[in-house]
């Protein structure tokens, strides 16, 4: 008997658990992921839509400062792991 696909994966439009995807049509959030840790499953939207400079290598000192500030400001939340939006924003965008 084949396992049924989780409806949350289809609703979010992602290919599997812990696989982030861009959401260009979302009004405020730039990415979505269906995070799974153990038995816990959660749909997480993260990232500010339309931010320039995030997601690529820092080009200027200003970009490096933004990256450093983000990581410092969200360090506690990033440390929470896969079930936090900050973790995914850090991994995908910064």
């Amino acid at each position: 008997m084949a396992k049924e696909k989780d409806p949350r994966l289809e609703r979010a439009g992602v290919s599997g658990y812990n696989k982030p995807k861009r959401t260009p049509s979302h009004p405020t959030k730039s990415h979505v992921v269906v995070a799974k840790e153990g038995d816990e499953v959660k749909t997480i939207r993260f990232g500010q839509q339309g931010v320039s400079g995030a997601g690529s290598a820092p080009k200027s000192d200003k970009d490096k400062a933004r990256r450093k500030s983000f990581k410092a400001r969200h360090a506690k939340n990033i440390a929470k792991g896969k079930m936090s939006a900050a973790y995914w924003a850090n991994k995908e965008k910064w």
Side-chain angles (χ1 to χ4, degrees), residues 22-30 45 49:
R22 286 223 28 148
T23 54
S25 58
H26 194 274
T28 56
K29 298 299 179 187
S30 66
R45 291 192 176 277
Q49 192 69 272

Side-chain angles (χ1 to χ4, degrees), residues 1 4-5 11 20 45-47 51 56 61 64 66 73 75 77-78 88-89 91 93:
M1 187 191 309
E4 269 192 53
K5 202 171 182 184
R11 198 172 322 127
R45 291 192 176 277
F46 64 92
V51 175
S56 60
D61 289 341
K64 287 177 187 159
R66 278 181 65 214
R73 188 167 62 245
N77 294 322
I78 292 166
W88 291 104
K91 188 175 162 105
K93 296 188 72 105

Side-chain angles (χ1 to χ4, degrees), residues 5-38:
K5 202 171 182 184
D6 191 332
R8 289 173 281 209
L9 294 174
E10 206 168 307
R11 198 172 322 127
V14 294
S15 59
Y17 297 114
N18 301 327
K19 294 187 185 296
K21 181 182 176 186
R22 286 223 28 148
T23 54
S25 58
H26 194 274
T28 56
K29 298 299 179 187
S30 66
H31 290 73
V32 66
V33 65
V34 179
K36 182 174 182 174
E37 201 166 53

Side-chain angles (χ1 to χ4, degrees), residues 60-79:
S60 67
D61 289 341
K62 192 174 180 183
D63 285 345
K64 287 177 187 159
R66 278 181 65 214
R67 180 176 294 221
K68 188 177 175 183
S69 292
F70 175 87
K71 289 179 180 282
R73 188 167 62 245
H74 295 287
K76 263 187 172 175
N77 294 322
I78 292 166

